[in-house]
Amino acid sequence: MEEKLDIITIGESLIELSSAGSLETSECFNKNYGGDTLTTAIASLRSGSKVGYITKVGDDTFGEYLLSAWKAEGLDASTVKLSKGQNGIYFVGHNNNSREYQYYRQKTAASTLSIDDIDFNYIKSSKSIYATGFAQSLSLSVQESIQEVFKFAKENGIITSYDPNCQKYGTGQDEALENFNMIRDYIDILFIESKDGEQLFETTSVNMLITRLCDLGIKTVVVKDMATGITIYENNDTVNIPPILTEMIDATGVSNAFNGGFLSRYLDGAGALNAGKFANALCLLQMQNVGAVKSIPYKKDVEEYCRKIYG
């Protein structure tokens, strides 16, 4: 690889079939792709970062589509190969102003990712590594792979970032805690929604979450809360970005896209507060369209909107 990557994310790709109507009554769906770590990767990429992705793609009828789409996007998938198996699918619908999801992600190619599939020289080619608890929940082999990658990154001075991302996907408390505890000693930046804080630590208090996580030695904590906005702790300092009320068409993947926008700007030297404002502006724009990935805006539009709302 000629140029060093800014970010590598690890997880699963999913085929996204979305509709503006309910899953029960919709007859037509728009095809795209999604997945929590993949959404983070694309948000980082469209925010100006060089991004790589680690996964396994099934050799079903969607496999070539995924690889071609990522190549067109500019996502580095040089270590990803077509593997025997199927790709996961999820449906997104909207019913009475609420989102509906239906996932089919059992025994997929992505769940067979193992430590033997990891090229640690590829990990060395990046400034940072990102994964989620949702990705860990795919299988024991994925869980082990992420643990080993985070350990390797920490030993080699590569920044690590993580989002438990457990509550909205129905990950049980015991599993969520196991996933987190396996890599907590290797985490530099932690993104967490207050609802996930309740799942993991039995509290939704932003201050309590920050205290608990800092006590574990995590240097940078970003707490996302609908009522209080974005609270960022770093270097014994806490800043808050208040929520901005806006009309929302679809919030699929918004939290994951926030992480991608934040990491892109943060790694580019913008500072935690400015990175948070950029990521928040990205999400506000993303919510104006349907779909996790196809609705992610590009850097120029986000910067313009960020100046509009923050000055």
Side-chain angles (χ1 to χ4, degrees):
M1 177 161 303
E2 296 181 357
E3 293 184 279
K4 193 175 183 69
L5 293 169
D6 297 304
I7 303 164
I8 292 175
T9 73
I10 309 169
E12 68 172 333
S13 59
L14 296 165
I15 297 298
E16 178 190 83
L17 298 174
S18 63
S19 171
S22 73
L23 295 182
E24 179 183 358
T25 61
S26 293
E27 296 182 355
C28 296
F29 293 85
N30 293 311
K31 182 184 75 173
N32 210 285
Y33 57 88
D36 63 341
T37 58
L38 185 54
T39 300
T40 298
I42 300 301
S44 295
L45 185 111
R46 292 185 184 177
S47 297
S49 295
K50 299 180 181 68
V51 185
Y53 193 55
I54 294 176
T55 191
K56 293 184 80 171
V57 171
D59 60 356
D60 62 13
T61 53
F62 292 114
E64 291 289 355
Y65 158 72
L66 289 170
L67 294 177
S68 296
W70 299 344
K71 183 178 181 180
E73 184 72 52
L75 180 67
D76 185 277
S78 57
T79 68
V80 178
K81 304 291 190 298
L82 283 174
S83 305
K84 186 174 179 59
Q86 62 186 5
N87 294 290
I89 296 177
Y90 73 102
F91 292 81
V92 185
H94 298 80
N95 191 7
N96 295 325
N97 296 320
S98 65
R99 285 173 291 164
E100 302 174 308
Y101 293 101
Q102 183 65 53
Y103 287 89
Y104 298 92
R105 59 190 291 262
Q106 297 296 318
K107 298 181 179 179
T108 62
S111 69
T112 68
L113 181 77
S114 72
I115 197 68
D116 294 333
D117 299 310
I118 305 298
D119 180 350
F120 284 92
N121 286 324
Y122 186 65
I123 301 300
K124 277 188 174 181
S125 76
S126 180
K127 299 175 185 176
S128 68
I129 297 295
Y130 174 85
T132 67
F134 188 52
Q136 287 172 293
S137 70
L138 272 169
S139 67
L140 291 176
S141 66
V142 176
Q143 186 187 61
E144 178 191 22
S145 299
I146 290 174
Q147 181 186 32
E148 290 302 313
V149 167
F150 268 58
K151 181 181 179 182
F152 177 86
K154 194 71 170 178
E155 292 171 346
N156 286 273
I158 299 166
I159 296 170
T160 60
S161 55
Y162 177 79
D163 190 328
N165 211 9
C166 54
Q167 206 253 10
K168 71 173 64 174
Y169 296 109
T171 307
Q173 184 179 35
D174 291 343
E175 182 183 5
L177 277 170
E178 179 185 2
N179 289 335
F180 173 71
N181 287 333
M182 285 185 72
I183 65 168
R184 71 182 193 186
D185 293 339
Y186 313 126
I187 299 172
D188 294 314
I189 303 171
L190 186 128
F191 300 96
I192 187 167
E193 292 191 32
S194 56
K195 289 183 179 180
D196 284 344
E198 183 177 19
Q199 180 91 328
L200 288 167
F201 304 113
E202 298 182 348
T203 180
T204 58
S205 165
V206 173
N207 290 333
M208 283 292 294
L209 278 175
I210 289 173
T211 298
R212 291 286 297 274
L213 293 165
C214 290
D215 286 346
L216 294 174
I218 298 173
K219 299 175 184 177
T220 303
V221 178
V222 182
V223 182
K224 296 169 278 187
D225 183 87
M226 290 186 65
T228 61
I230 309 299
T231 303
I232 305 169
Y233 170 88
E234 186 176 55
N235 298 325
N236 295 316
D237 188 28
T238 302
V239 295
N240 177 261
I241 303 171
I244 295 176
L245 297 178
T246 185
E247 291 186 9
M248 178 185 71
I249 295 175
D250 182 23
T252 302
V254 164
S255 182
N256 306 313
F258 176 95
N259 298 351
F262 181 96
L263 286 172
S264 178
R265 298 298 87 214
Y266 183 84
L267 293 169
D268 199 39
L273 179 59
N274 287 329
K277 288 179 177 178
F278 177 92
N280 207 39
L282 183 152
C283 292
L284 291 170
L285 287 176
Q286 183 189 13
M287 290 189 294
Q288 304 309 305
N289 294 287
V290 176
V293 167
K294 66 182 179 180
S295 60
I296 297 172
Y298 288 83
K299 180 181 178 181
K300 181 180 178 181
D301 295 327
V302 178
E303 287 178 331
E304 181 179 337
Y305 189 59
C306 196
R307 287 192 294 269
K308 178 180 178 181
I309 59 178
Y310 293 117

Coordinates of all heavy atoms in Angstrom, one line a residue, residues 157-208:
G157 N 1.1 1.3 19.0 CA 0.9 2.8 19.0 C -0.2 3.2 18.0 O -0.2 4.4 17.6
I158 N -1.1 2.3 17.6 CA -2.2 2.6 16.7 C -3.4 3.0 17.6 O -3.8 2.2 18.5 CB -2.5 1.4 15.8 CG1 -1.3 1.1 15.0 CG2 -3.7 1.7 14.9 CD1 -1.3 -0.3 14.3
I159 N -4.1 4.1 17.3 CA -5.2 4.5 18.0 C -6.4 3.6 17.9 O -6.7 3.2 16.7 CB -5.7 5.9 17.6 CG1 -4.5 6.9 17.9 CG2 -7.0 6.4 18.3 CD1 -4.8 8.3 17.3
T160 N -7.0 3.2 19.0 CA -8.2 2.3 18.9 C -9.4 3.0 19.3 O -9.4 3.8 20.3 CB -8.0 1.1 19.8 OG1 -7.8 1.5 21.2 CG2 -6.8 0.3 19.4
S161 N -10.5 2.7 18.7 CA -11.8 3.3 19.1 C -12.9 2.2 19.0 O -12.8 1.3 18.2 CB -12.2 4.5 18.2 OG -12.1 4.2 16.8
Y162 N -13.9 2.4 19.8 CA -14.9 1.3 20.0 C -16.3 1.9 20.4 O -16.3 3.0 21.1 CB -14.4 0.4 21.1 CG -15.3 -0.7 21.5 CD1 -15.4 -1.9 20.8 CD2 -16.1 -0.7 22.7 CE1 -16.2 -3.0 21.1 CE2 -16.9 -1.7 23.1 CZ -17.0 -2.9 22.3 OH -17.8 -3.9 22.7
D163 N -17.3 1.3 19.9 CA -18.7 1.6 20.3 C -19.4 0.3 20.7 O -19.5 -0.6 19.9 CB -19.4 2.3 19.2 CG -20.8 2.9 19.6 OD1 -21.4 2.3 20.5 OD2 -21.2 3.9 19.0
P164 N -19.9 0.2 22.0 CA -20.6 -1.1 22.4 C -21.7 -1.4 21.4 O -22.0 -2.6 21.1 CB -21.0 -0.8 23.8 CG -20.2 0.3 24.3 CD -19.8 1.1 23.1
N165 N -22.5 -0.4 21.1 CA -23.6 -0.5 20.1 C -24.4 -1.8 20.3 O -24.7 -2.6 19.4 CB -23.0 -0.6 18.7 CG -23.9 0.0 17.6 OD1 -24.9 0.6 17.9 ND2 -23.6 -0.2 16.4
C166 N -24.9 -1.9 21.6 CA -25.5 -3.2 21.9 C -27.0 -3.1 22.1 O -27.8 -4.0 21.7 CB -24.9 -3.7 23.2 SG -24.9 -2.5 24.6
Q167 N -27.5 -2.0 22.7 CA -28.9 -2.0 23.2 C -29.9 -2.0 22.0 O -30.9 -2.8 22.0 CB -29.2 -0.7 24.0 CG -30.3 -0.9 25.0 CD -31.5 -0.1 24.6 OE1 -31.6 0.4 23.5 NE2 -32.5 0.0 25.5
K168 N -29.7 -1.2 21.0 CA -30.6 -1.1 19.9 C -30.7 -2.4 19.1 O -31.7 -2.7 18.4 CB -30.3 0.1 19.0 CG -29.1 -0.1 18.2 CD -29.0 1.1 17.2 CE -28.7 2.4 17.9 NZ -28.5 3.5 17.0
Y169 N -29.7 -3.2 19.1 CA -29.7 -4.5 18.4 C -30.0 -5.7 19.2 O -29.9 -6.8 18.8 CB -28.3 -4.7 17.7 CG -28.0 -3.6 16.7 CD1 -27.0 -2.7 16.9 CD2 -28.7 -3.6 15.5 CE1 -26.8 -1.7 16.0 CE2 -28.5 -2.6 14.5 CZ -27.5 -1.6 14.8 OH -27.2 -0.7 13.9
G170 N -30.4 -5.5 20.5 CA -30.9 -6.5 21.3 C -29.8 -7.4 21.9 O -30.1 -8.6 22.3
T171 N -28.5 -7.0 21.9 CA -27.5 -7.8 22.6 C -27.8 -7.8 24.1 O -28.0 -6.8 24.7 CB -26.1 -7.1 22.3 OG1 -25.9 -6.9 20.9 CG2 -25.0 -8.0 22.9
G172 N -27.7 -9.0 24.7 CA -28.0 -9.2 26.1 C -26.9 -8.5 26.9 O -25.8 -8.3 26.5
Q173 N -27.3 -8.2 28.2 CA -26.3 -7.5 29.1 C -25.0 -8.3 29.3 O -23.9 -7.8 29.2 CB -27.0 -7.2 30.4 CG -26.1 -6.4 31.3 CD -26.7 -6.1 32.6 OE1 -27.5 -6.9 33.2 NE2 -26.4 -4.9 33.2
D174 N -25.2 -9.6 29.5 CA -24.0 -10.5 29.8 C -23.1 -10.5 28.6 O -21.9 -10.4 28.7 CB -24.4 -11.9 30.1 CG -25.1 -12.0 31.5 OD1 -25.0 -11.0 32.3 OD2 -25.8 -13.0 31.8
E175 N -23.7 -10.6 27.4 CA -22.8 -10.7 26.2 C -22.2 -9.3 25.9 O -21.0 -9.2 25.5 CB -23.7 -11.1 25.0 CG -22.9 -11.2 23.7 CD -23.7 -11.5 22.5 OE1 -25.0 -11.6 22.6 OE2 -23.2 -11.7 21.4
A176 N -22.9 -8.2 26.1 CA -22.4 -6.9 25.9 C -21.2 -6.6 26.9 O -20.2 -6.1 26.4 CB -23.5 -5.9 26.1
L177 N -21.4 -7.0 28.1 CA -20.3 -6.8 29.1 C -19.1 -7.7 28.7 O -17.9 -7.2 28.9 CB -20.8 -7.2 30.5 CG -21.6 -6.1 31.2 CD1 -22.2 -6.6 32.5 CD2 -20.6 -4.9 31.6
E178 N -19.3 -8.9 28.3 CA -18.2 -9.8 27.9 C -17.4 -9.2 26.8 O -16.2 -9.1 26.8 CB -18.7 -11.2 27.5 CG -17.6 -12.1 27.1 CD -18.1 -13.5 26.6 OE1 -19.3 -13.6 26.5 OE2 -17.3 -14.3 26.3
N179 N -18.2 -8.7 25.7 CA -17.5 -8.1 24.6 C -16.7 -6.9 25.0 O -15.5 -6.7 24.6 CB -18.6 -7.6 23.6 CG -19.2 -8.8 22.9 OD1 -18.6 -9.9 22.8 ND2 -20.4 -8.6 22.4
F180 N -17.3 -6.0 25.8 CA -16.6 -4.8 26.3 C -15.3 -5.1 27.1 O -14.3 -4.6 26.9 CB -17.5 -3.9 27.1 CG -16.9 -2.7 27.7 CD1 -16.4 -1.7 27.0 CD2 -16.7 -2.7 29.1 CE1 -15.8 -0.6 27.5 CE2 -16.1 -1.6 29.7 CZ -15.7 -0.5 28.9
N181 N -15.5 -6.1 28.1 CA -14.4 -6.4 29.0 C -13.2 -7.0 28.3 O -12.1 -6.9 28.7 CB -14.9 -7.3 30.1 CG -15.8 -6.6 31.1 OD1 -15.7 -5.4 31.3 ND2 -16.7 -7.3 31.7
M182 N -13.5 -7.7 27.2 CA -12.4 -8.4 26.4 C -11.4 -7.4 25.8 O -10.2 -7.7 25.7 CB -13.0 -9.2 25.3 CG -13.6 -10.5 25.7 SD -14.1 -11.5 24.3 CE -12.6 -12.1 23.7
I183 N -11.9 -6.1 25.5 CA -11.0 -5.2 24.9 C -10.9 -3.8 25.6 O -10.2 -2.9 25.1 CB -11.4 -4.9 23.4 CG1 -12.8 -4.2 23.3 CG2 -11.4 -6.2 22.6 CD1 -13.1 -3.7 21.9
R184 N -11.5 -3.7 26.8 CA -11.5 -2.4 27.4 C -10.1 -1.9 27.7 O -9.9 -0.6 27.7 CB -12.4 -2.5 28.7 CG -11.7 -3.2 29.8 CD -12.6 -3.3 31.0 NE -11.9 -3.7 32.2 CZ -12.4 -4.0 33.4 NH1 -13.7 -3.8 33.5 NH2 -11.7 -4.4 34.4
D185 N -9.2 -2.7 28.0 CA -7.8 -2.3 28.3 C -7.1 -1.7 27.1 O -6.0 -1.1 27.2 CB -7.0 -3.4 28.9 CG -7.5 -3.8 30.3 OD1 -8.2 -3.0 30.9 OD2 -7.2 -5.0 30.7
Y186 N -7.6 -1.9 25.9 CA -7.0 -1.5 24.7 C -7.7 -0.3 24.0 O -7.3 0.1 22.9 CB -6.9 -2.7 23.7 CG -6.5 -4.0 24.3 CD1 -7.2 -5.1 24.2 CD2 -5.3 -4.1 25.0 CE1 -6.8 -6.4 24.7 CE2 -4.9 -5.3 25.5 CZ -5.6 -6.4 25.4 OH -5.2 -7.6 25.9
I187 N -8.7 0.2 24.6 CA -9.5 1.3 24.0 C -9.0 2.6 24.3 O -8.8 3.0 25.5 CB -11.0 1.2 24.5 CG1 -11.6 -0.2 24.1 CG2 -11.8 2.3 23.9 CD1 -13.0 -0.4 24.7
D188 N -8.7 3.5 23.3 CA -8.3 4.8 23.4 C -9.5 5.8 23.4 O -9.6 6.7 24.2 CB -7.3 5.3 22.3 CG -6.0 4.5 22.5 OD1 -5.5 4.4 23.6 OD2 -5.5 4.0 21.4
I189 N -10.4 5.6 22.4 CA -11.6 6.4 22.3 C -12.8 5.5 22.4 O -12.9 4.5 21.7 CB -11.6 7.1 20.9 CG1 -10.3 8.0 20.7 CG2 -12.8 8.0 20.7 CD1 -10.1 8.5 19.3
L190 N -13.8 5.9 23.2 CA -15.0 5.1 23.3 C -16.2 6.0 23.0 O -16.4 7.1 23.6 CB -15.2 4.5 24.7 CG -16.4 3.6 24.8 CD1 -16.0 2.2 25.4 CD2 -17.5 4.2 25.6
F191 N -17.0 5.6 22.1 CA -18.3 6.2 21.8 C -19.4 5.4 22.5 O -19.4 4.1 22.4 CB -18.6 6.2 20.3 CG -17.5 6.9 19.4 CD1 -16.5 6.2 18.8 CD2 -17.6 8.3 19.3 CE1 -15.5 6.9 18.1 CE2 -16.7 9.0 18.5 CZ -15.6 8.2 17.9
I192 N -20.3 6.0 23.1 CA -21.4 5.3 23.8 C -22.7 6.1 23.8 O -22.6 7.3 24.1 CB -20.9 4.8 25.2 CG1 -22.0 3.9 25.8 CG2 -20.6 6.0 26.1 CD1 -21.5 3.2 27.1
E193 N -23.8 5.5 23.5 CA -25.1 6.1 23.7 C -25.5 5.9 25.1 O -25.2 4.8 25.8 CB -26.1 5.5 22.7 CG -25.8 5.8 21.3 CD -27.0 5.5 20.4 OE1 -28.2 5.5 20.9 OE2 -26.8 5.1 19.2
S194 N -26.2 6.8 25.7 CA -26.6 6.7 27.1 C -27.4 5.4 27.3 O -27.3 4.8 28.4 CB -27.4 7.9 27.5 OG -28.5 8.2 26.7
K195 N -28.2 5.0 26.3 CA -29.0 3.8 26.5 C -28.1 2.5 26.6 O -28.4 1.6 27.3 CB -30.0 3.6 25.3 CG -31.1 4.6 25.3 CD -32.1 4.3 24.2 CE -33.2 5.3 24.2 NZ -34.2 5.1 23.1
D196 N -26.9 2.6 25.9 CA -26.0 1.5 26.1 C -25.3 1.5 27.4 O -24.9 0.5 28.0 CB -24.9 1.6 25.0 CG -25.4 1.1 23.6 OD1 -26.5 0.4 23.6 OD2 -24.8 1.3 22.6
G197 N -25.2 2.8 28.0 CA -24.7 2.9 29.4 C -25.6 2.2 30.4 O -25.1 1.6 31.3
E198 N -26.9 2.3 30.1 CA -27.8 1.6 31.0 C -27.6 0.1 30.9 O -27.7 -0.6 31.9 CB -29.2 2.0 30.6 CG -30.3 1.4 31.5 CD -31.7 1.9 31.2 OE1 -31.9 2.4 30.1 OE2 -32.6 1.8 32.1
Q199 N -27.4 -0.4 29.7 CA -27.2 -1.8 29.4 C -25.9 -2.3 30.1 O -25.9 -3.4 30.7 CB -27.2 -2.1 27.9 CG -27.0 -3.5 27.5 CD -28.3 -4.2 27.3 OE1 -29.3 -3.9 28.0 NE2 -28.3 -5.2 26.4
L200 N -24.9 -1.5 30.0 CA -23.6 -2.0 30.5 C -23.3 -1.7 31.9 O -22.8 -2.5 32.7 CB -22.5 -1.4 29.6 CG -22.3 -1.9 28.2 CD1 -21.4 -1.0 27.4 CD2 -21.7 -3.3 28.2
F201 N -23.7 -0.5 32.4 CA -23.4 0.0 33.7 C -24.6 0.4 34.6 O -24.4 0.9 35.7 CB -22.4 1.2 33.6 CG -21.2 1.0 32.8 CD1 -21.0 1.6 31.5 CD2 -20.3 0.1 33.2 CE1 -19.9 1.4 30.8 CE2 -19.1 -0.2 32.4 CZ -18.9 0.5 31.2
E202 N -25.8 0.1 34.1 CA -27.0 0.3 34.8 C -27.1 1.8 35.2 O -27.6 2.1 36.3 CB -27.1 -0.6 36.0 CG -27.1 -2.1 35.7 CD -27.2 -3.0 36.9 OE1 -27.1 -2.5 38.0 OE2 -27.5 -4.2 36.7
T203 N -26.7 2.7 34.3 CA -26.9 4.1 34.5 C -27.0 4.8 33.2 O -26.3 4.4 32.2 CB -25.8 4.8 35.4 OG1 -26.1 6.2 35.5 CG2 -24.5 4.6 34.7
T204 N -27.9 5.8 33.1 CA -28.0 6.6 31.9 C -27.4 8.0 32.2 O -27.4 8.9 31.3 CB -29.4 6.8 31.4 OG1 -30.2 7.4 32.5 CG2 -30.0 5.5 31.0
S205 N -26.9 8.2 33.4 CA -26.3 9.5 33.7 C -25.0 9.7 32.9 O -24.1 8.9 33.0 CB -26.0 9.6 35.2 OG -25.1 10.6 35.5
V206 N -24.9 10.8 32.2 CA -23.7 11.1 31.4 C -22.5 11.2 32.3 O -21.4 10.7 32.0 CB -23.9 12.4 30.6 CG1 -22.7 12.8 29.9 CG2 -25.1 12.2 29.6
N207 N -22.6 11.9 33.4 CA -21.5 12.1 34.3 C -21.0 10.8 34.9 O -19.8 10.6 35.0 CB -21.8 13.1 35.4 CG -22.0 14.5 34.9 OD1 -21.4 14.9 33.9 ND2 -22.8 15.3 35.6
M208 N -22.0 10.0 35.3 CA -21.6 8.7 35.9 C -20.9 7.8 34.8 O -19.9 7.1 35.1 CB -22.8 8.0 36.4 CG -23.3 8.5 37.7 SD -22.2 8.1 39.1 CE -22.3 6.4 39.1

